[in-house]
Amino acid sequence: MATLLLRGVPIGTIQGVLFDKDGTLSHSEPYLLDLAERRIQIAEELWNCQAPSPKEENTLGPMLRRAFGIQGEQLHPGGTLAVAARQDNLTTMATVFCLHGCSWPTAIALAQSCFDQCDQQEHDRNSISPLLDGAEDLLRCLHSKGITNAIISNDTRAGIHAFLQHHGLSHLIAACWSANDSPRKPDPAAVLSLCSRLGLDPEECALIGDAETDLQMAAAAGIRLVIGYGGGWGLTPELPSATHWLDNWAEMGLEADP
């Protein structure tokens, strides 16, 4: 056990820390905005081949931007693209196709085709988001003091492991809970299952995330320290369930118990 410090003030003793990934450990906003625009471009191309009346005003792109949470050149930290899993975002796109007159089977097929084409671009680009400043230092500090680090994310298992391997962090993370695991977050059972996998009591843990759904999940699972992180986005996330808040990783430290 060790005492977690926030701006030099002790906030509680812990044995493990569960981290969200996108917007918490990784600076994912530029990547996600680029991903959204590529998906929207492909969706519009598919729709132009599908639309029964090309003379009608094309509202597909603007509606998809709103649905994904794009606000100007920024991404809403609580929006679909920032928080939800891939399948949820695919369903969001299909719903927008439906609002433009498609049947559900056609809408799902169009959305799936769009995501598949974008995936091929992704494979060619091999893009991985950079770490947020101070994240690696904190992970190394926690690991050196015997604290168990884990990731709970709606990214795929492959995406999480590629991110960790790219940044040389794999040895610092004891376990991951991904979109491939069931149940997915924000189900509190996801936290309980991850803690069980780690051999930890939720009351011995902190969870740090940038989404209100993550923090509500943590509280419902009995996590001792529910910590909101606000430094990963251009727009400050709204995190009323956070019992503690930090804007950058330099604000957090650790004091080993005697």
Side-chain angles (χ1 to χ4, degrees), residues 61-258:
M63 286 184 68
L64 284 170
R65 287 182 178 87
R66 290 197 298 273
F68 288 145
I70 299 173
Q71 299 182 357
E73 297 182 356
Q74 295 177 309
L75 190 63
H76 192 293
T80 308
L81 194 64
V83 173
R86 169 194 168 90
Q87 188 59 42
D88 300 321
N89 280 280
L90 192 151
T91 302
T92 295
M93 177 176 283
T95 301
V96 173
F97 278 129
C98 279
L99 292 173
H100 282 72
C102 281
S103 68
W104 185 246
T106 299
I108 284 289
L110 285 170
Q112 187 65 63
S113 178
C114 173
F115 275 49
D116 288 346
Q117 290 184 45
C118 202
D119 284 349
Q120 183 56 51
Q121 294 180 0
E122 194 72 6
H123 180 268
D124 295 339
R125 294 161 65 96
N126 192 30
S127 301
I128 295 181
S129 298
L131 284 169
L132 286 162
D133 289 343
E136 180 176 359
D137 291 341
L138 178 63
L139 289 171
R140 291 189 180 280
C141 175
L142 293 169
H143 185 265
S144 70
K145 301 297 184 183
I147 300 301
T148 300
N149 296 320
I151 288 179
I152 181 165
S153 169
N154 269 333
D155 194 1
T156 63
R157 186 178 298 121
I160 295 172
H161 286 303
F163 170 79
L164 294 175
Q165 185 175 11
H166 177 82
H167 292 294
L169 303 176
S170 299
H171 66 292
L172 302 177
I173 304 298
C176 300
W177 195 268
S178 73
N180 301 107
D181 293 295
S182 183
R184 295 193 322 232
K185 72 173 193 176
D187 190 325
V191 172
L192 296 174
S193 297
L194 178 56
C195 286
S196 177
R197 181 181 294 179
L198 295 166
L200 296 175
D201 188 316
E203 292 185 356
E204 299 175 340
C205 296
L207 184 143
I208 307 176
D210 63 308
E212 172 62 11
T213 50
D214 285 2
L215 304 189
Q216 291 176 354
M217 168 188 70
I223 290 290
R224 182 174 188 180
L225 296 175
V226 179
I227 303 172
Y229 181 81
W233 303 96
L235 298 172
T236 303
E238 297 179 4
L239 305 175
S241 295
T243 56
H244 303 280
W245 176 279
L246 68 154
D247 287 308
N248 64 78
W249 291 116
E251 296 177 330
M252 182 157 284
L254 199 66
E255 182 177 74
D257 289 349

